[in-house]
């Protein structure tokens, strides 16, 4: 059974501070890693799709890195704002069968 | 803003009823997916389709069935709802597969079976 782990499960961050969290996934049969942001009462929204070891992607104040050899990805948020409060999901794509496996998410709360 | 819609958003229904959860997208995507999420748990893929008349079961065994008669429409049906079906159901679509393309998600249907 393939496991995708996200840590921490929940995080409280002061507005203006920067933060990061982790997604761990199997290092074998890797094809792609997705990051999504899911705000309460809204649809999950795509942030990044990453495929290459060493990839770094950026969207505004949010960036992500990828290490496929050791099986982890970091998501960074610089200068947290209230609108960053959401659950951040990562999903691993297995190259053998294109199955997509989600983690449980990191729930981020920005404190004013 | 993604053009993918789900109805109803919330449904409370008694045991034994037949229900259909609707999912439609106006992006012309070939690939569509249904996920189930229990509180505090991961999204689990229960069904997917790569085009009209194509449907496959996902990783999580589900008593639900799906159909894909039109590109834009991917309804999910439970013939006889049970309390164990209480969950959130999310529909998604993508233009290409998950190898390179993001998925666009609907807002979900929160189902409660009494």
């Amino acid at each position: 059974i393939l496991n995708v782990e996200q840590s921490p499960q929940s995080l409280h961050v002061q507005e203006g501070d920067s933060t990061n969290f982790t997604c761990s996934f199997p290092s074998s049969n890797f094809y792609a890693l997705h990051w999504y942001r899911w705000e309460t009462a809204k649809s999950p929204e795509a942030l990044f799709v990453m495929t290459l070891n060493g990839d770094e992607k950026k969207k505004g104040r949010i960036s992500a890195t990828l290490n496929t050899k050791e099986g982890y990805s970091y998501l960074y948020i610089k200068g947290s704002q209230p609108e960053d409060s959401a659950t951040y999901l990562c999903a691993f794509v297995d190259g053998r069968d294109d199955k997509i496996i989600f983690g449980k998410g990191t729930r981020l709360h920005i404190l004013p | 803003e993604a053009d993918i819609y789900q109805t109803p958003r919330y449904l409370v229904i008694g045991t034994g009823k037949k229900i259909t959860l609707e999912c439609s997208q106006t992006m012309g995507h070939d690939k569509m997916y249904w996920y189930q999420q229990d509180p505090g748990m991961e999204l689990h893929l229960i069904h997917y389709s790569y085009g009209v008349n194509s449907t496959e079961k996902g990783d999580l065994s589900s008593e639900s069935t799906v159909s894909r008669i039109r590109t834009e429409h991917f309804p999910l049906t439970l013939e006889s709802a049970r309390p164990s079906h209480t969950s959130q159901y999310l529909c998604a679509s993508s233009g290409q597969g998950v190898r390179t393309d993001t998925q666009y998600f609907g807002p979900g249907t929160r189902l409660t079976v009494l």
Side-chain angles (χ1 to χ4, degrees):
Chain A
I1 295 175
L2 297 177
N3 234 16
V4 175
E5 301 284 345
Q6 290 190 247
S7 62
Q9 191 175 336
S10 180
L11 187 57
H12 290 78
V13 173
Q14 204 66 43
E15 183 177 348
D17 287 352
S18 297
T19 188
N20 65 83
F21 30 91
T22 308
C23 172
S24 301
F25 51 84
S27 54
S28 57
N29 304 307
F30 173 89
Y31 197 91
L33 189 85
H34 294 237
W35 279 102
Y36 292 88
R37 174 171 60 201
W38 193 358
E39 293 178 64
T40 303
K42 293 190 177 178
S43 311
E45 172 201 351
L47 289 173
F48 308 113
V49 181
M50 308 175 81
T51 55
L52 297 175
N53 184 44
D55 246 356
E56 263 190 58
K57 295 229 172 171
K58 191 173 178 183
K59 187 175 182 176
R61 294 179 291 100
I62 303 177
S63 60
T65 60
L66 180 68
N67 183 323
T68 60
K69 293 190 189 309
E70 294 179 46
Y72 65 83
S73 175
Y74 292 136
L75 191 83
Y76 299 91
I77 302 178
K78 190 176 172 184
S80 304
Q81 299 297 310
E83 60 265 29
D84 297 329
S85 293
T87 297
Y88 290 82
L89 300 174
C90 71
F92 163 85
V93 179
D94 189 327
R96 293 171 296 181
D97 53 14
D98 286 356
K99 290 283 170 68
I100 184 165
I101 300 149
F102 280 83
K104 292 182 183 179
T106 291
R107 194 170 188 86
L108 176 65
H109 304 266
I110 305 301
L111 306 169
Chain B
E1 189 83 10
D3 296 318
I4 179 161
Y5 310 98
Q6 288 185 247
T7 58
R9 293 290 306 275
Y10 302 91
L11 180 61
V12 180
I13 202 157
T15 296
K17 301 286 187 188
K18 178 179 177 178
I19 57 171
T20 296
L21 307 184
E22 300 288 348
C23 175
S24 296
Q25 51 94 5
T26 57
M27 296 173 281
H29 286 168
D30 283 327
K31 294 169 178 61
M32 296 188 75
Y33 312 84
W34 274 104
Y35 291 90
Q36 183 176 343
Q37 189 198 28
D38 294 329
M41 301 300 290
E42 308 90 330
L43 289 170
H44 284 286
L45 183 67
I46 51 174
H47 298 283
Y48 61 98
S49 166
Y50 285 167
V52 171
N53 294 325
S54 143
T55 61
E56 301 286 346
K57 288 193 178 293
D59 303 313
L60 184 68
S61 175
S62 173
E63 291 164 352
S64 59
T65 59
V66 291
S67 62
R68 190 89 184 275
I69 298 169
R70 302 196 318 263
T71 299
E72 61 272 20
H73 195 214
F74 191 40
L76 180 145
T77 298
L78 275 164
E79 289 293 332
S80 179
R82 292 209 300 271
S84 60
H85 297 139
T86 294
S87 192
Q88 177 160 234
Y89 294 85
L90 280 152
C91 179
S93 73
S94 67
Q96 308 297 322
V98 293
R99 284 191 167 214
T100 55
D101 200 13
T102 57
Q103 294 174 80
Y104 295 88
F105 283 87
T109 294
R110 200 171 285 278
L111 173 67
T112 303
V113 184
L114 304 173

